[in-house]
Amino acid sequence: MVDALAPSELLNVRRLARFGYLGLFVVVAYFTPLFEQYPPLQWLGIAGLLIVFFDAIVCARRRWRELREQLDEPEPS
């Protein structure tokens, strides 16, 4: 499925996945006692948050690089 997506569509899917994970983490952390009952699950969730954070940084740097390259290219006359 991922191979069939264009790069911009893949970024949108990754963005939705990040927001979904963050939302799920917040719901589980604040509205269920799951993390209190299973502390290793809380650490696994925090590790997932770190992955989401670094993935967001990678995507932002990639997007910034693309924008910078577009600005550096001379416009056709």
Side-chain angles (χ1 to χ4, degrees), residues 12-25 52:
N12 288 336
V13 170
R14 287 173 77 173
R15 186 177 299 140
L16 284 174
R18 285 194 305 260
F19 282 125
Y21 184 83
L22 292 174
L24 180 66
F25 183 84
V52 166

Side-chain angles (χ1 to χ4, degrees), residues 23-44:
L24 180 66
F25 183 84
V26 168
V27 166
V28 170
Y30 287 108
F31 300 114
T32 67
L34 198 60
F35 285 160
E36 294 157 1
Q37 293 174 351
Y38 304 103
L41 189 61
Q42 181 179 13
W43 288 109
L44 188 63

